[in-house]
Coordinates of all heavy atoms in Angstrom, one line a residue:
N55 N -91.1 21.4 -42.6 CA -90.4 22.0 -41.5 C -89.1 22.5 -42.0 O -88.0 22.0 -41.6 CB -90.3 21.0 -40.4 CG -89.6 21.6 -39.1 OD1 -89.6 22.8 -39.0 ND2 -89.1 20.8 -38.2
S56 N -89.1 23.5 -42.9 CA -87.9 23.9 -43.6 C -86.8 24.5 -42.7 O -85.6 24.5 -42.9 CB -88.3 24.9 -44.7 OG -88.9 26.1 -44.1
D57 N -87.3 25.1 -41.6 CA -86.3 25.7 -40.6 C -85.7 24.8 -39.6 O -84.8 25.1 -38.8 CB -86.9 26.9 -39.9 CG -88.1 26.6 -39.1 OD1 -88.5 25.4 -39.0 OD2 -88.7 27.5 -38.5
G58 N -86.2 23.5 -39.6 CA -85.7 22.5 -38.7 C -86.0 22.7 -37.3 O -85.3 22.1 -36.4
A59 N -87.0 23.5 -36.9 CA -87.3 23.8 -35.5 C -88.1 22.6 -34.9 O -88.6 21.7 -35.7 CB -88.2 25.0 -35.5
S60 N -88.0 22.5 -33.6 CA -88.7 21.5 -32.9 C -90.2 21.6 -33.2 O -90.7 22.7 -33.2 CB -88.4 21.5 -31.4 OG -87.1 21.3 -31.1
R61 N -90.9 20.4 -33.4 CA -92.3 20.5 -33.8 C -93.1 19.5 -32.9 O -92.6 18.4 -32.6 CB -92.4 20.1 -35.3 CG -91.9 21.3 -36.2 CD -92.9 22.4 -36.2 NE -92.5 23.4 -37.2 CZ -91.8 24.5 -36.9 NH1 -91.4 24.8 -35.7 NH2 -91.5 25.4 -37.9
T62 N -94.4 19.9 -32.7 CA -95.3 19.0 -32.1 C -96.3 18.6 -33.2 O -96.9 19.5 -33.9 CB -96.1 19.6 -30.9 OG1 -96.6 20.9 -31.3 CG2 -95.1 19.8 -29.7
K168 N -90.6 20.3 -26.3 CA -90.0 20.8 -27.5 C -88.6 21.3 -27.3 O -87.8 21.2 -28.2 CB -90.9 21.9 -28.1 CG -92.1 21.5 -28.8 CD -93.0 22.6 -29.2 CE -92.4 23.4 -30.4 NZ -93.3 24.4 -30.9
Y171 N -86.8 17.7 -27.5 CA -87.0 16.7 -28.6 C -87.1 17.5 -29.9 O -87.7 18.6 -29.9 CB -88.1 15.8 -28.4 CG -88.0 14.9 -27.2 CD1 -88.4 15.3 -26.0 CD2 -87.3 13.7 -27.4 CE1 -88.2 14.4 -24.8 CE2 -87.1 12.8 -26.3 CZ -87.6 13.2 -25.0 OH -87.4 12.3 -24.0
D172 N -86.7 16.9 -31.0 CA -86.9 17.5 -32.3 C -88.4 17.4 -32.8 O -88.9 18.3 -33.4 CB -86.0 16.8 -33.4 CG -84.6 17.0 -33.0 OD1 -84.1 18.1 -33.2 OD2 -83.9 16.0 -32.6
Y173 N -89.0 16.2 -32.4 CA -90.4 16.0 -32.8 C -91.1 15.4 -31.5 O -90.6 14.5 -30.9 CB -90.6 15.1 -34.0 CG -90.4 15.8 -35.3 CD1 -89.1 15.8 -35.9 CD2 -91.4 16.5 -35.9 CE1 -88.9 16.5 -37.1 CE2 -91.2 17.2 -37.1 CZ -89.9 17.1 -37.6 OH -89.7 17.8 -38.8
D195 N -98.3 22.0 -33.5 CA -97.8 22.7 -34.7 C -98.5 22.2 -35.9 O -98.6 22.9 -36.9 CB -96.3 22.6 -34.8 CG -95.6 23.3 -33.7 OD1 -95.9 24.4 -33.4 OD2 -94.7 22.6 -33.1

Side-chain angles (χ1 to χ4, degrees):
N55 184 17
S56 58
D57 60 1
S60 297
R61 290 286 186 260
T62 53
K168 285 173 70 173
Y171 295 92
D172 299 290
Y173 282 93
D195 295 312

